[in-house]
Amino acid sequence: MFAILAVVILGSAVMCVTTKRIMRAATFMLFVLFGVAGLYFLLDYTFLGAAQISVYAGGVTMIYIFAIQLVSKRTLQGLVERMKGSRVIFGGLITLVGLATVALVLLKNQFIYAACGTPDVEVPMKAIGTALVGADKYQYVLPFEFISLFLLACIIGGLVVSRKEED
């Protein structure tokens, strides 16, 4: 089952970034998000799988499709992306620098060796819940609030873009 989900995720991700039609890209992104939810269900993380489907596959994809529909067809018709060889080479070099940086940080801090071992104790659900909704150091309620403000700004920006101007 993992191999099937991995093929669906990787195939859809490649098609998402290589297709020239924007609605097809959004559809392939939806398949990627459903595949990730399938991985969560495969690991028996039913809450995360349900959250993945409802929040990301449902909500975020619908926001993308709504934003795509807001843009006029005249704007999208003449839009053709041409890749120059120098830009591809520059993008590849930046990607390799980023990969080397991530690998260096992982090796320096020994995250790989710590991740391979089994944890000594199981983290109780109460500690996870407190970390998610707490406002102290290393707790996540403030990042969630910043993300909600960012999404609100995106919605307002979409409404401003979609507003018809009177001549």
Side-chain angles (χ1 to χ4, degrees), residues 63-64 66-72 150-164:
I63 288 174
Y64 283 150
F66 179 69
I68 291 167
Q69 295 298 327
L70 284 177
V71 177
S72 68
F150 176 71
L151 289 175
L152 180 63
C154 290
I155 291 170
I156 292 171
L159 292 174
V160 168
V161 168
S162 69
R163 184 174 54 110
K164 292 185 179 181

Side-chain angles (χ1 to χ4, degrees), residues 33-160:
L33 295 173
F34 275 131
V36 172
L39 288 178
Y40 286 141
F41 286 123
L42 189 64
L43 292 170
D44 286 333
Y45 293 145
T46 54
F47 176 75
L48 287 178
Q52 177 78 16
I53 289 174
S54 64
V55 173
Y56 291 106
V60 173
T61 305
M62 289 305 116
I63 288 174
Y64 283 150
I65 291 174
F66 179 69
I68 291 167
Q69 295 298 327
L70 284 177
V71 177
S72 68
K73 289 185 180 181
R74 281 182 280 155
T75 305
L76 293 177
Q77 282 175 349
L79 188 64
V80 177
E81 180 80 22
R82 302 208 191 275
M83 288 198 236
K84 296 180 182 176
S86 62
R87 292 182 86 185
V88 171
I89 292 171
F90 182 69
L93 288 175
I94 294 295
T95 302
L96 289 176
V97 167
L99 179 66
T101 303
V102 168
L104 184 69
V105 167
L106 286 176
L107 291 174
K108 181 182 176 211
N109 293 324
Q110 298 181 351
F111 287 137
I112 294 173
Y113 306 117
C116 291
T118 57
D120 293 335
V121 294
E122 185 174 331
V123 179
M125 190 58 71
K126 184 175 182 178
I128 295 172
T130 303
L132 285 177
V133 296
D136 294 333
K137 189 174 183 180
Y138 303 119
Q139 294 182 344
Y140 297 103
V141 77
L142 291 177
F144 284 150
E145 290 300 322
F146 287 129
I147 289 171
S148 67
L149 287 175
F150 176 71
L151 289 175
L152 180 63
C154 290
I155 291 170
I156 292 171
L159 292 174
V160 168

Side-chain angles (χ1 to χ4, degrees), residues 20-34:
K20 292 185 180 184
R21 299 192 176 252
I22 195 163
M23 288 301 288
R24 287 184 185 169
T27 305
F28 285 125
M29 185 186 71
L30 180 67
F31 291 145
V32 169
L33 295 173
F34 275 131

